[in-house]
Amino acid sequence: MFEKKSLERIINKALDSAADFAEIFVEKTFQSSITMQSNNIENAVNNDKFGVGIRVAKGHQSVYGYTNKADEETLLDLANDLATVFSGTRAKKAITLPKMKKGDKHQIKRKPDTVDIKEKVDLVKRANQAARNYSKDISQVNLSYMDTVQNVWIASSEDIYVHDERIRTRLGIHSVAKNEDDMQSGFNGPGGHYGFEFYDTFDVEEAGQEASRIAVTMLYADEAPSATMPVVIDNGFGGVIFHEACGHSLEATSVAKNASVFSGKKNEKIGSDLVTAIDDGTIENAWGSANFDDEGRPQKRRVLIEKGMLKSYMVDHLNGLRMNESSTGSGRRESYRFAPTSRMSNTFIDNGESTFDEIIEATEYGLYAKKMGGGSVQPSSGDFNFAVMEGYMIRNGKIAEPVKGATLVGTGKDALKKIDMVGDNLSRAQGMCGSLSGSIPTDVGQPTIRISNMTVGGRKGNA
Amino acid sequence: MNFDLLFDKAKAKNIEALQIHLEELEQIDFDVFNGELDKHQIADTRKLSIKGIYNGKMGKMSTESLDEANMDQWIDAIIDSAKAIESKDEVFIYEGDTSYKDIPELATSNLDNLSKEEKLKLTFDLNEKIKNLDEKVKISQSFYGQAVKKVTLKNSKGLNLTKKVNSALLGAMAIVKTDDDSRQSLDYVQTDNPKDFNIDEMAEGVVKRATSMLGAKSLKSDTYNILLENRASATLLSAFMGMFKAESVQKGMSKLQDKVNQKIANDNVTLIDDPFMLKSTRSGAFDDEGVATRYKEIVKNGTLTNYLYDLKTAKKDNTDSTGNAFSGSIQHTNFYFKNGDSDVSDMIGSMKEGLLITSVQGAHSGTNPISGDFSLQATGYMIKNGKVDRPIALFTIAGNYLKWFNQISDIGNDLKFGFNFIGSPTLKIDNVVVSGNE
């Protein structure tokens, strides 16, 4: 994209100041998306993004600039502009970049930009048909297909020069079920760090039916009660609670600023013995994986919590300086429009020993949250709130009637301690995570777990 | 860039009509955290979106590599995109309206009245004030951002429009801590004139709010009358914006289908979409299709008067576009509940027992935008005998948004907007299901 000499000149321009760190991030991304509604392909759009971000820092203080007028002269000016913030005696000698490294862990068989749009359209139609045929109650199905080929070149004064190509694809199916009384929806959105071959790794029709199954089940569900009770959260997307309520609080972004409930708690017990949690950006072809993080360091597997003990945070370079810790390869960003910060990759609670049946049987009365919706958390207090997309009551150790409209409320700190059963059926699901450095692909995951008691908010009134 | 050349190239490849939308953006952002500069960002970007009609279908693409040498590629991408589309909807490239409202105030830049150094100082001063107000303040954050956005809209039918908008935002966040609790509060002002920034007021506001929430506990599950404070109400309205859009209605995804000219809310409820509101970057005289925008009361005294339309959906309903085509879909401009007459202090004073809800969380997940159902975590205060009694947290409020429209018994005069240009005054809503764990 840019010659190495050119990148060196830009970095060295920024270091011609009291700054001790300079980084250049070059991005070229092709994105194609297709949307289908009412049985018609509505949109098929190609977007290409191109731009350059330059970051200059002294200690942990940084400035960031980005532009897509990317000739060397403009970039030298930008580097110079940014460096003026750190006026003073020169701190670092001019650098030369090492040989460029390119990652090759996530093999791609069919690059999306080589696949004819007709083939992508056919895929979307297959999922649409299956979702619609599931039940006569399905009144609408919205589908969104996307693939992206993101090429990044990252060079910095930390002796880093890498090129990474992240190829990702995802199919989202949103089914709506309707009858005279009500309207309910269900969603399923498989994705991965794959090319188009991803759609040969699972049954696309089943994926469509799954979204409809949820919508129809919820159409005939009763309102959930409001009460405090044991809650069994199923595997896969159920891990969103850990992601939101604990994962974000383990990111250096909040830890370094002492804004997290888990600041200063390393090697302390923060959860029940049953909880081991991992953030692994190296899982082959996983949605949240990459060869390098967005600061050019190799992605890693990080054990965050081991048997309830806090073992590691997720740390980016600059927050690492604040915390006196090394980067864990966790610097990520949506695009050149964002400076990187510590973020999750594929984050999950690890397998335990109980079977799914044992967990249900051991629960006299409670809520079974089979599919979670999204949620949010207040970072300083850890208060969270999650919607249950598909829920059932558990009565006498058996899964009973479906319930809709349930919300789970609690704090991350408490919930971690109240996990009293962990299943052996770990699975992961895909999501988009929004935070300071933009919206990035992340996997959430867990086996089926039980939280001994939790506030359930529903509309039925108080149980 | 020579767009006429692009239009000629498109014509030569049998594209009936072509339109470009060029957005140029210059931004500056500062973020000060506990007295230290935490973020300092400058940006200069352009994005070109192109759409064209080919065989009756609308092809679309966008690019950030603005090089005339790529023009042929862009044309091919438009044709490929159009070929994939099956929708039988009629599509339009608009020749333009006869007149567009002149809003000179929007283009006038007051952002340079303060120098970059003065803006930085303002952000630092705000940070300092927050920190010094109360020893319980453990984290003090302040941020300033400004943007100058220029939009050029041109098409092969002769439309040629430009607009320039300026905006600045100053915000503050405080986290206060005691041994057993921690609370945070956020406030911000969005304007086009730095004169509107009052850092004393803002600092006092966030600190007072955060400290008054310390020790918040849950409450007994019950049915309460609530005051939904302005910003909390705006958050909730944002989650349900979709139902006012013609697209959702036509696709059977809005419960407001067939409800035009019917009562959907109490008489006191009026909802406005105002594209001419000053000091908003969302304002402007034309939308992304080149249609002249207009002021409208979407709900007037409780009656639904219209939906928000773009050209395509308007044609289907045999009506006119309301000038709400933005970013490839139907969007509001500045959308808000009209102010009522009541002072919030009187609304509190006249409440024997109830809740003041100051914020709701998880509006993107705890709501069903189609059915209108929601169940959201909230924080606020208990009201007893006309007085704020104690802070409350970790409870949910639940209901159905359209049913709530008929439970609004009073409206405050304190209209306030959120980041997304959706606003509301404080609303009094009767008989709300609240679940807590006390």
Side-chain angles (χ1 to χ4, degrees):
Chain A
M1 172 71 19
F2 286 88
E3 283 181 25
K4 189 168 153 184
K5 289 282 169 220
S6 172
L7 297 174
E8 284 170 352
R9 280 192 291 272
I10 296 162
I11 288 172
N12 285 325
K13 175 60 106 183
L15 293 176
D16 190 8
S17 65
D20 55 17
F21 170 84
E23 171 194 77
I24 179 162
F25 178 90
V26 181
E27 178 186 7
K28 196 156 180 51
T29 295
F30 287 96
Q31 216 169 32
S32 91
S33 61
I34 297 169
T35 55
M36 184 168 195
Q37 272 193 332
S38 311
N39 282 319
N40 282 320
I41 299 291
E42 295 262 323
N43 265 312
V45 189
N46 286 318
N47 298 311
D48 84 69
K49 291 186 198 169
F50 167 67
V52 178
I54 298 177
R55 189 159 57 129
V56 183
K58 182 183 177 190
H60 57 75
Q61 290 209 4
S62 69
V63 288
Y64 190 71
Y66 61 88
T67 178
N68 44 32
K69 290 173 190 158
D71 53 288
E72 189 180 324
E73 202 177 325
T74 308
L75 296 175
L76 284 169
D77 283 349
L78 177 59
N80 190 50
D81 254 16
L82 294 168
T84 54
V85 175
F86 306 108
S87 55
T89 323
R90 185 168 180 131
K92 208 173 161 112
K93 276 193 273 188
I95 57 114
T96 53
L97 290 172
K99 190 171 176 298
M100 188 179 81
K101 281 190 224 159
K102 190 175 187 307
D104 58 1
K105 184 166 166 107
H106 311 283
Q107 289 300 316
I108 303 295
K109 295 197 182 74
R110 299 187 67 198
K111 279 185 74 170
D113 46 359
T114 65
V115 177
D116 196 277
I117 190 161
K118 284 199 193 78
E119 216 178 318
K120 298 176 188 174
V121 166
D122 284 346
L123 171 84
V124 175
K125 286 184 174 170
R126 275 166 57 205
N128 176 58
Q129 213 48 57
R132 284 184 179 271
N133 290 346
Y134 180 81
S135 157
K136 62 175 176 26
D137 289 327
I138 296 297
S139 62
Q140 180 63 273
V141 180
N142 300 320
L143 301 105
S144 60
Y145 165 90
M146 78 81 150
D147 59 54
T148 158
V149 179
Q150 184 199 38
N151 273 282
V152 299
W153 292 263
I154 306 158
S156 81
S157 56
E158 296 281 293
D159 202 35
I160 283 171
Y161 183 27
V162 303
H163 171 209
D164 200 6
E165 185 173 57
R166 291 91 177 246
I167 294 182
R168 295 189 178 100
T169 185
R170 191 179 190 197
L171 177 64
I173 306 132
H174 181 249
S175 295
V176 181
K178 191 177 173 181
N179 60 20
E180 278 162 16
D181 309 320
D182 199 7
M183 216 188 238
Q184 289 288 330
S185 60
F187 177 79
N188 190 20
H193 188 300
Y194 277 101
F196 201 70
E197 75 275 12
F198 177 58
Y199 301 101
D200 299 329
T201 64
F202 64 96
D203 188 326
V204 171
E205 275 79 11
E206 266 176 32
Q209 287 158 1
E210 175 64 5
S212 295
R213 187 191 61 74
I214 298 167
V216 173
T217 308
M218 287 302 100
L219 188 64
Y220 294 99
D222 198 1
E223 297 286 358
S226 290
T228 300
M229 61 180 88
V231 177
V232 174
I233 305 166
D234 214 349
N235 62 358
F237 200 70
V240 70
I241 297 195
F242 181 81
H243 169 104
E244 296 281 358
C246 306
H248 281 295
S249 305
L250 294 169
E251 292 169 338
T253 317
S254 60
V255 177
K257 292 178 175 169
N258 228 6
S260 160
V261 287
F262 299 129
S263 293
K265 293 264 158 72
K266 215 167 173 176
N267 294 318
E268 282 182 32
K269 198 84 192 302
I270 61 164
S272 98
D273 290 346
L274 299 173
V275 181
T276 291
I278 291 161
D279 177 64
D280 186 353
T282 68
I283 302 171
E284 223 168 292
N285 296 101
W287 177 241
S289 292
N291 289 293
F292 299 100
D293 77 350
D294 290 318
E295 302 185 298
R297 288 180 172 79
Q299 259 295 357
K300 278 188 186 164
R301 179 177 197 270
R302 295 155 281 257
V303 177
L304 306 173
I305 301 172
E306 194 174 6
K307 295 186 175 146
M309 187 89 84
L310 174 54
K311 283 292 173 191
S312 172
Y313 299 114
M314 289 165 279
V315 186
D316 59 293
H317 175 60
L318 292 186
N319 281 308
L321 295 178
R322 267 183 209 268
M323 295 161 68
N324 212 3
E325 286 197 26
S326 315
S327 159
T328 58
S330 297
R332 296 186 71 192
R333 57 178 124 194
E334 177 182 328
S335 72
Y336 70 92
R337 288 173 183 255
F338 297 86
T341 191
S342 51
R343 302 288 295 270
M344 284 174 263
S345 59
N346 307 297
T347 315
F348 53 90
I349 296 175
D350 211 358
N351 266 330
E353 283 167 4
S354 304
T355 65
F356 176 81
D357 290 344
E358 282 165 6
I359 297 175
I360 298 293
E361 279 161 22
T363 308
E364 177 70 19
Y365 173 79
L367 180 76
Y368 166 48
K370 184 173 164 67
K371 281 270 155 105
M372 293 302 302
S376 70
V377 62
Q378 175 128 6
S380 65
S381 59
D383 294 358
F384 67 71
N385 149 4
F386 290 89
V388 178
M389 197 195 311
E390 181 185 1
Y392 300 81
M393 296 313 296
I394 304 174
R395 295 179 195 280
N396 305 318
K398 292 199 176 70
I399 296 170
E401 76 280 7
V403 286
K404 64 185 175 189
T407 303
L408 305 184
V409 179
T411 72
K413 224 166 61 174
D414 277 0
L416 271 184
K417 289 181 184 145
K418 287 183 181 160
I419 295 178
D420 65 353
M421 291 185 92
V422 177
D424 58 2
N425 55 352
L426 168 65
S427 70
R428 287 178 283 111
Q430 291 69 53
M432 292 302 292
C433 169
S435 183
L436 281 179
S437 62
S439 173
I440 57 171
T442 55
D443 261 4
V444 299
Q446 65 175 35
T448 305
I449 61 167
R450 188 175 78 170
I451 297 180
S452 57
N453 69 76
M454 207 173 192
T455 302
V456 176
R459 280 183 301 272
K460 196 182 188 177
N462 306 308
Chain B
M1 179 155 293
N2 183 355
F3 291 117
D4 290 330
L5 177 65
L6 184 68
F7 296 148
D8 288 344
K9 280 178 183 282
K11 203 174 167 193
K13 286 209 172 171
N14 295 320
I15 291 176
E16 292 161 43
L18 197 80
Q19 177 163 299
I20 65 97
H21 179 274
L22 176 65
E23 185 175 290
E24 295 165 273
L25 199 57
E26 282 176 44
Q27 291 162 280
I28 302 175
D29 290 283
F30 305 122
D31 196 338
V32 177
F33 182 90
N34 279 353
E36 264 186 30
L37 186 61
D38 191 46
K39 177 179 171 189
H40 179 158
Q41 185 165 300
I42 51 180
D44 180 4
T45 53
R46 306 162 297 177
K47 181 180 176 184
L48 177 66
S49 306
I50 308 174
K51 61 182 187 177
I53 303 176
Y54 182 81
N55 280 341
K57 310 288 185 196
M58 185 71 85
K60 291 177 190 167
M61 63 90 56
S62 79
T63 180
E64 295 176 345
S65 302
L66 269 70
D67 185 345
E68 279 189 18
N70 296 335
M71 278 185 176
D72 290 321
Q73 257 172 275
W74 300 344
I75 302 288
D76 290 343
I78 292 288
I79 293 173
D80 282 348
S81 161
K83 277 182 179 167
I85 290 169
E86 299 173 326
S87 167
K88 289 164 197 74
D89 296 343
E90 201 174 336
V91 291
F92 306 88
I93 292 219
Y94 197 55
E95 48 288 310
D97 283 300
T98 44
S99 74
Y100 293 88
K101 190 174 168 83
D102 189 23
I103 324 167
E105 296 91 335
L106 287 179
T108 315
S109 179
N110 297 303
L111 300 181
D112 295 335
N113 291 356
L114 286 183
S115 70
K116 191 172 158 185
E117 288 68 32
E118 285 170 317
K119 288 164 191 162
L120 195 56
K121 186 170 181 303
L122 187 77
T123 318
F124 270 100
D125 288 349
L126 173 58
N127 199 272
E128 185 76 17
K129 282 188 196 293
I130 298 166
K131 187 92 202 153
N132 292 340
L133 273 168
D134 194 308
E135 58 185 17
K136 290 191 283 296
V137 175
K138 294 295 180 265
I139 288 174
S140 136
Q141 194 171 8
S142 54
F143 46 96
Y144 173 84
Q146 69 171 48
V148 179
K149 182 169 89 173
K150 199 181 153 199
V151 173
T152 307
L153 189 67
K154 262 183 119 153
N155 69 31
S156 57
K157 291 185 166 175
L159 186 81
N160 188 358
L161 298 166
T162 57
K163 69 176 172 190
K164 195 175 157 190
V165 281
N166 307 284
S167 71
L169 178 143
L170 184 73
M173 200 267 294
I175 296 183
V176 296
K177 282 185 187 169
T178 53
D179 288 344
D180 49 9
D181 200 12
S182 165
R183 294 286 155 188
Q184 72 179 55
S185 167
L186 171 82
D187 192 20
Y188 51 88
V189 169
Q190 232 166 344
T191 175
D192 63 352
N193 194 334
K195 274 194 187 137
D196 296 335
F197 297 137
N198 181 337
I199 59 172
D200 290 306
E201 200 181 282
M202 188 179 276
E204 273 163 36
V206 292
V207 172
K208 203 172 148 196
R209 235 169 213 251
T211 46
S212 68
M213 280 304 296
L214 283 168
K217 294 215 166 55
S218 193
L219 71 170
K220 209 171 77 214
S221 298
D222 205 343
T223 301
Y224 294 87
N225 292 342
I226 67 163
L227 297 178
L228 186 65
E229 211 182 27
N230 46 25
R231 255 185 206 152
S233 171
T235 304
L236 201 56
L237 177 58
S238 312
F240 293 106
M241 235 355 270
M243 54 189 182
F244 296 99
K245 298 176 183 176
E247 199 166 25
S248 330
V249 176
Q250 291 174 356
K251 295 199 156 128
M253 302 187 54
S254 166
K255 284 210 159 175
L256 293 179
Q257 200 170 16
D258 305 320
K259 292 271 163 61
V260 172
N261 295 325
Q262 289 187 29
K263 286 281 281 188
I264 63 159
N266 281 353
D267 288 348
N268 54 358
V269 177
T270 292
L271 274 166
I272 295 165
D273 186 56
D274 180 6
F276 308 134
M277 195 171 90
L278 298 183
K279 302 187 176 193
S280 165
T281 48
R282 238 351 215 261
S283 297
F286 58 91
D287 71 2
D288 286 357
E289 294 182 319
V291 174
T293 52
R294 54 189 161 98
Y295 174 93
K296 53 222 172 271
E297 291 173 339
I298 290 294
V299 174
K300 189 172 186 177
N301 303 328
T303 301
L304 180 70
T305 66
N306 204 356
Y307 306 117
L308 302 179
Y309 284 100
D310 60 2
L311 286 170
K312 187 166 97 176
T313 51
K315 177 77 181 184
K316 274 196 200 168
D317 279 6
N318 203 15
T319 181
D320 292 326
S321 166
T322 54
N324 285 91
F326 294 99
S327 307
S329 62
I330 298 174
Q331 304 282 344
H332 61 281
T333 60
N334 303 289
F335 197 83
Y336 58 95
F337 281 101
K338 190 178 172 183
N339 258 337
D341 300 324
S342 305
D343 287 334
V344 177
S345 53
D346 295 339
M347 292 166 82
I348 294 171
S350 62
M351 202 171 224
K352 193 165 181 310
E353 192 187 31
L355 311 178
L356 171 63
I357 306 290
T358 52
S359 84
V360 290
Q361 286 103 44
H364 64 294
S365 57
T367 55
N368 181 332
I370 299 172
S371 66
D373 292 341
F374 64 88
S375 172
L376 295 169
Q377 190 184 339
T379 53
Y381 307 91
M382 191 82 125
I383 299 171
K384 272 192 183 147
N385 301 319
K387 288 203 173 71
V388 171
D389 184 55
R390 66 173 175 103
I392 45 176
L394 287 177
F395 60 96
T396 59
I397 55 172
N400 180 285
Y401 201 57
L402 284 171
K403 286 186 187 145
W404 270 28
F405 274 3
N406 295 301
Q407 290 163 249
I408 299 174
S409 59
D410 197 5
I411 299 182
N413 55 12
D414 58 338
L415 172 64
K416 201 158 187 171
F417 281 82
F419 284 118
N420 54 4
F421 308 98
I422 291 175
S424 176
T426 298
L427 307 180
K428 178 165 188 265
I429 298 155
D430 296 336
N431 302 319
V432 174
V433 176
V434 175
S435 54
N437 62 4
E438 191 174 76

